[in-house]
Amino acid sequence: MNKRQIGKSDLYASELGFGCMSLSPGLGKENESIVKTALEHGINYFDTADLYQFGWNEELIGKLLKDVRQDIILATKGGNEWTESQDSWNWNPSKKYIKSAFKESLRRLKTDYIDLYQLHGGTIEDPMDETIEAFDELVSEGLVRYYGISSIRPNTISYYAEHSNIQSVMMQYSLLDRRPEELFPYLEKKGISVIARGPVAKGWLSEKAFEKNPEDKFLSYSGLDIQSKLERVKKLIPQDEKLTQTALKFILSHSVISTAVAGASSVEQLLENIHTFRSPEMTEDVRKELEDLFPAEFYESHRVQNR
């Protein structure tokens, strides 16, 4: 599988990354089979967070990847603090909390360093200089190789891009949510990569879309509208190509994207994603037709200023 550089770092991520949130206690031994299959097919980027399943996800990933730790890019996220009752969480980007939560992530992941540590959110009202200081200290202490943020707020992204050493921004990005494209030229100019999450839009960009309720919605699209557009997509792509594969190819047609992070709750689902990289790349004509079918929107608030 091809690899792409994350920002200006020496991290080169597989074009398909694995979203560990899709793993769960209910899958039992299937969790191990999924991760093993990912490794066997060249996936080297694994993305988790301390928030997932109250830390269980990090513990599982630490256990399953400890023998290949030097061969992978291990990414996790912090900044959300579970309440005592564990029925909700609070946003806490303070330096004190970031550094203490990070140490717990290290313990759960059974490692002494993280390749890419990401702030799991962020607003323009945060004490961002303090947060940046925490991340820079973790780097200087040799505990973090590089850091980034996971955010969809343009003003927040802009501040970190101008005042920190972030190498990446994780954003929800798919054919059904093209809002991040507004930021692509700016981030590319700054040498910052985009890590795309939600590439199949909660299943709306897969064959499962036709099993969903047409009255449901995804952002501004109705289910019925999505289903109608996907019927047209099927006429544009090769007969043996899955809609999921088309969705992934579209994302990776942008050079600013370093990896498309997709989850999988079965080996079969993962192999379908992997098959994307054994078929021809998307042509420019198909890409343009897809862009016409699913036009880009812009973020309604949190504008980027002073580019």
Side-chain angles (χ1 to χ4, degrees):
M1 187 175 295
N2 290 334
K3 293 180 173 62
R4 298 188 182 188
Q5 185 177 16
I6 297 178
K8 298 174 183 176
S9 75
D10 60 0
L11 302 177
Y12 285 79
S14 50
E15 289 185 319
L16 178 64
F18 186 76
C20 302
M21 187 172 66
S22 59
L23 304 176
S24 70
L27 291 176
K29 292 185 178 180
E30 183 81 352
N31 289 312
E32 184 175 356
S33 298
I34 292 168
V35 171
K36 182 180 178 182
T37 301
L39 290 167
E40 289 173 346
H41 287 82
I43 292 176
N44 76 337
Y45 181 91
F46 292 84
D47 192 281
T48 182
D50 61 4
L51 191 66
Y52 301 161
Q53 295 114 346
F54 309 105
W56 176 89
N57 200 278
E58 285 186 327
E59 289 181 350
L60 176 71
I61 290 303
K63 176 184 175 182
L64 296 181
L65 295 178
K66 63 180 180 179
D67 292 337
V68 293
R69 180 66 189 91
Q70 302 300 318
D71 304 320
I72 62 160
I73 296 172
L74 185 56
T76 192
K77 300 180 284 290
N80 291 291
E81 182 177 18
W82 282 105
T83 59
E84 230 177 274
S85 59
Q86 292 193 335
D87 58 355
S88 63
W89 60 83
N90 298 315
W91 176 237
N92 190 348
S94 69
K95 177 180 175 179
K96 181 179 179 181
Y97 179 71
I98 290 291
K99 296 195 74 172
S100 85
F102 175 80
K103 289 178 182 177
E104 286 301 301
S105 287
L106 281 186
R107 179 186 62 79
R108 287 189 291 264
L109 287 163
K110 297 177 176 62
T111 184
D112 54 6
Y113 71 97
I114 297 298
D115 297 294
L116 184 68
Y117 192 47
Q118 300 157 100
L119 184 66
H120 203 175
T123 73
I124 202 71
E125 290 80 26
D126 291 345
M128 289 187 281
D129 291 334
E130 179 183 328
T131 306
I132 291 167
E133 188 176 308
F135 278 80
D136 283 336
E137 285 185 8
L138 289 170
V139 172
S140 67
E141 292 164 10
L143 301 174
V144 168
R145 293 178 67 191
Y146 302 99
Y147 64 91
I149 62 171
S150 175
S151 176
I152 59 171
R153 295 180 172 90
N155 272 345
T156 303
I157 292 168
S158 178
Y159 191 90
Y160 278 92
E162 298 293 339
H163 298 92
S164 79
N165 293 311
I166 60 167
Q167 300 297 319
S168 62
V169 178
M170 175 176 270
M171 288 189 280
Q172 175 175 289
Y173 178 53
S174 71
L175 267 171
L176 295 179
D177 186 1
R178 293 179 56 204
R179 292 175 298 175
E181 290 179 22
E182 172 189 352
L183 294 163
F184 286 2
Y186 170 68
L187 291 174
E188 198 150 29
K189 184 178 178 181
K190 299 292 291 184
I192 298 169
S193 293
V194 172
I195 295 174
R197 64 176 177 85
V200 294
K202 297 183 178 179
W204 278 110
L205 292 172
S206 72
E207 275 69 17
K208 290 182 180 178
F210 298 103
E211 301 170 12
K212 291 178 178 283
N213 186 340
E215 294 183 5
D216 288 345
K217 295 191 70 175
F218 186 88
L219 296 179
S220 61
Y221 291 96
S222 70
L224 184 62
D225 189 26
I226 295 171
Q227 290 166 347
S228 175
K229 288 177 182 292
L230 290 181
E231 290 290 2
R232 294 169 65 183
V233 171
K234 284 184 172 184
K235 296 176 182 178
L236 296 175
I237 61 178
Q239 194 171 5
D240 61 344
E241 183 168 305
K242 301 286 188 181
L243 291 170
T244 301
Q245 294 159 5
T246 303
L248 288 170
K249 285 182 182 181
F250 176 79
I251 286 173
L252 292 165
S253 67
H254 296 277
S255 59
V256 73
I257 304 290
S258 59
T259 183
V261 177
S265 54
S266 69
V267 170
E268 291 73 23
Q269 185 181 10
L270 176 60
L271 289 173
E272 181 178 305
N273 293 343
I274 290 169
H275 187 71
T276 303
F277 305 91
R278 297 177 182 167
S279 55
E281 292 183 5
M282 179 174 287
T283 66
E284 189 63 24
D285 288 344
V286 169
R287 176 175 142 170
K288 287 179 178 177
E289 292 198 56
L290 290 173
E291 289 175 339
D292 288 341
L293 267 176
F294 302 95
E297 297 179 1
F298 295 104
Y299 290 106
E300 296 176 2
S301 58
H302 309 290
R303 310 307 310 158
V304 174
Q305 297 170 351
N306 301 323
R307 288 193 183 181

